[in-house]
Amino acid sequence: MEKMKVLDLFSGIGGFSLGLERAGMETISFCEIDKKAQLVLKKHWPNVPIFEDVSTLKGDEIGPVDVICGGFPCQDISTAGKGEGLSGSRSGLWYEFHRLINEIRPKYAIIENVSALRPRGLEQVIKTLFEIG
């Protein structure tokens, strides 16, 4: 049986990919802007490409993907932040995540964020996902 292919966005040091690979999936690309996190990814996944900027990544650069996973930035959503929600510059990267889901059309999307997303943007996340089917 062929393994499900994963695109890991906002990868950090690869926590999602580690778990998904242990469940039998294969990470085919990462997208992570932090240079130190990239070093960790390169050490553990030396043959997996790392794209640096989610805002410039295009779906046709990736190829077929079964799963897109990621925890988009929470700083504008968290109760410790200023409460800008999805209109903030960091948490607003949700719209890039959404764009890639729409461009790539995976079977599954695994989306992670803090619990404060519920009052500060979850409705918008669900609405925009519904709009693209």
Side-chain angles (χ1 to χ4, degrees):
M1 178 190 265
E2 189 175 318
K3 292 182 177 185
M4 293 180 78
K5 299 193 181 320
V6 176
L7 167 60
D8 188 337
L9 303 176
F10 310 102
S11 305
I13 60 169
F16 266 124
S17 284
L18 180 63
L20 294 174
E21 288 187 356
R22 287 182 178 177
M25 300 181 199
E26 174 189 9
T27 302
I28 62 160
S29 295
F30 291 105
C31 187
E32 174 54 54
I33 201 164
D34 184 85
K35 298 292 187 195
K36 289 182 181 176
Q38 287 178 13
L39 293 173
V40 175
L41 295 173
K42 287 176 187 175
K43 177 181 179 190
H44 295 287
W45 289 273
N47 299 316
V48 177
I50 302 170
F51 294 91
E52 188 165 307
D53 189 346
V54 71
S55 66
T56 60
L57 181 60
K58 303 294 182 228
D60 60 6
E61 294 177 286
I62 303 299
V65 170
D66 300 296
V67 178
I68 296 178
C69 66
F72 64 97
C74 68
Q75 292 93 332
D76 303 315
I77 294 167
S78 171
T79 55
K82 295 180 181 176
E84 295 175 273
L86 296 177
S87 62
S89 63
R90 293 172 288 187
S91 297
L93 289 172
W94 155 250
Y95 295 103
E96 298 298 338
F97 195 159
H98 172 270
R99 175 185 56 79
L100 288 165
I101 292 169
N102 191 36
E103 288 177 11
I104 296 170
R105 310 300 288 185
K107 293 176 186 173
Y108 304 98
I110 301 170
I111 304 161
E112 183 274 334
N113 211 281
V114 295
S115 62
L117 177 64
R118 191 168 172 213
R120 294 184 175 176
L122 182 59
E123 184 177 325
Q124 182 65 17
V125 168
I126 292 170
K127 178 183 176 206
T128 57
L129 287 171
F130 178 78
E131 288 171 354
I132 62 171

